[in-house]
Amino acid sequence: MVEGAVPMITVFNRKELLVTYSMELQSKARNILNEWGIDYIVDTAGTAARNIGLGPIGVDRFGTNPSFSCQYKIYVNRKDYEKARAALAGKL
């Protein structure tokens, strides 16, 4: 590895750290990971795009809750997983 190069997080070396629908919680988690210098990636999966053409996206339709329209998954490198868990738990 080149000096100063950051190892990439790939599908082969990552581990899921957090799954949430809360923008606030994922933001707080990302801030903590940044504070501790832990690399992460965020994957989002949303249902809002499925509602295009059905009216305003923010409208509750078919029993769905608009606050659950986007799911955030935070992944870290497997080697950083325990440190990341401890950081989020406030144990570092």
Side-chain angles (χ1 to χ4, degrees):
M1 182 179 299
V2 178
E3 185 178 330
V6 177
M8 291 182 53
I9 297 175
T10 68
V11 70
F12 302 109
N13 70 359
R14 72 184 184 185
K15 188 163 182 178
E16 188 178 272
L17 177 67
L18 177 69
V19 178
T20 183
Y21 285 95
S22 169
M23 181 182 289
E24 293 79 17
L25 180 58
Q26 68 87 22
S27 178
K28 182 178 178 181
R30 292 171 62 187
N31 287 337
I32 291 169
L33 295 173
N34 281 328
E35 286 176 19
W36 288 98
I38 301 170
D39 291 325
Y40 63 88
I41 58 173
V42 178
D43 186 17
T44 58
T47 58
R50 296 182 196 140
N51 293 333
I52 293 175
L54 298 176
I57 290 175
V59 173
D60 186 8
R61 297 215 180 254
F62 307 113
T64 61
N65 185 337
S67 64
F68 294 114
S69 65
C70 187
Q71 180 184 57
Y72 304 93
K73 292 184 180 183
I74 299 179
Y75 297 93
V76 296
N77 191 302
R78 287 185 186 279
K79 68 177 181 57
D80 296 328
Y81 180 75
E82 292 302 324
K83 180 179 178 183
R85 279 189 48 177
L88 292 185
K91 296 182 178 179
L92 286 183

